[in-house]
């Protein structure tokens, strides 16, 4: 009856005990409680140590898998953060290089403009000196020879 799926839920340990007691009475054994113990007075069934050990091993393996997965996720998160930081640093370096080049070009443009201004002033000064020299030479030699 315990193996029949339809009756399995209806055939409890107490039912088995009562059935064995009735069978023993039919056979003339009236002292059934001396031979079998009632399920409510029986000591609790101890789990099979091998099955318990197998369950412990499986549980530890599952815990190890979870820990490994967590460690992998943390490693990937750190790798992503590091890669992101490297990209940010590279972008910052590119921006700094671009700004440095821009400053260099601005400095070069200012130097060129300053040289041009100095050259213009020098040319103007040379023209004034030439005019002054002509005036001095004209004053020193009022009648030039033909």
């Amino acid at each position: 009856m315990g193996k029949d799926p339809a009756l399995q839920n209806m055939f409890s340990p107490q039912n088995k005990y009562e059935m064995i007691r009735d069978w023993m009475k039919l056979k003339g054994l009236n002292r059934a409680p001396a031979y079998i113990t009632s399920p409510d007075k029986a000591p609790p069934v101890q789990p099979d140590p091998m099955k318990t050990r197998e369950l412990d091993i499986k549980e530890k393996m599952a815990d190890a898998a979870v820990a490994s997965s967590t460690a992998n996720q943390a490693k990937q998160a750190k790798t992503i953060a590091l890669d992101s930081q490297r990209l940010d640093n590279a972008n910052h370096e590119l921006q700094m290089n671009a700004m440095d080049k821009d400053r260099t070009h601005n400095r070069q443009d200012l130097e060129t403009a300053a040289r041009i201004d100095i050259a213009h002033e020098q040319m103007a000064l040379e023209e004034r000196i030439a005019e002054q020299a002509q005036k001095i030479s004209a004053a020193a030699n009022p009648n030039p020879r033909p």
Side-chain angles (χ1 to χ4, degrees), residues 38-142:
S38 173
D40 56 343
K41 294 180 184 175
V45 177
Q46 296 296 323
D48 183 13
M50 291 301 285
K51 287 187 180 181
T52 303
R53 185 71 179 139
E54 286 177 18
L55 289 175
D56 288 344
I57 290 171
K58 286 180 183 178
E59 185 176 330
K60 286 181 182 179
M61 288 175 65
D63 289 344
V66 168
S68 175
S69 174
T70 303
N72 284 339
Q73 286 177 346
K75 181 180 176 183
Q76 287 177 350
K78 285 180 183 178
T79 301
I80 289 170
L82 184 60
D83 289 346
S84 176
Q85 185 178 10
R86 285 180 182 158
L87 283 174
D88 289 344
N89 288 344
N91 285 338
H92 183 68
E93 189 174 331
L94 287 173
Q95 288 175 347
M96 293 303 288
N97 285 342
M99 288 173 56
D100 189 39
K101 285 181 182 178
D102 192 38
R103 286 184 192 149
T104 300
H105 291 294
N106 287 344
R107 181 185 50 78
Q108 289 171 345
D109 289 345
L110 289 173
E111 286 176 357
T112 302
R115 275 189 254 150
I116 291 171
D117 287 343
I118 290 171
H120 282 298
E121 286 178 21
Q122 194 172 14
M123 285 174 42
L125 186 61
E126 287 176 4
E127 285 175 4
R128 277 189 260 145
I129 290 173
E131 285 176 10
Q132 292 282 335
Q134 273 184 346
K135 285 181 185 179
I136 293 173
S137 119
N141 198 1

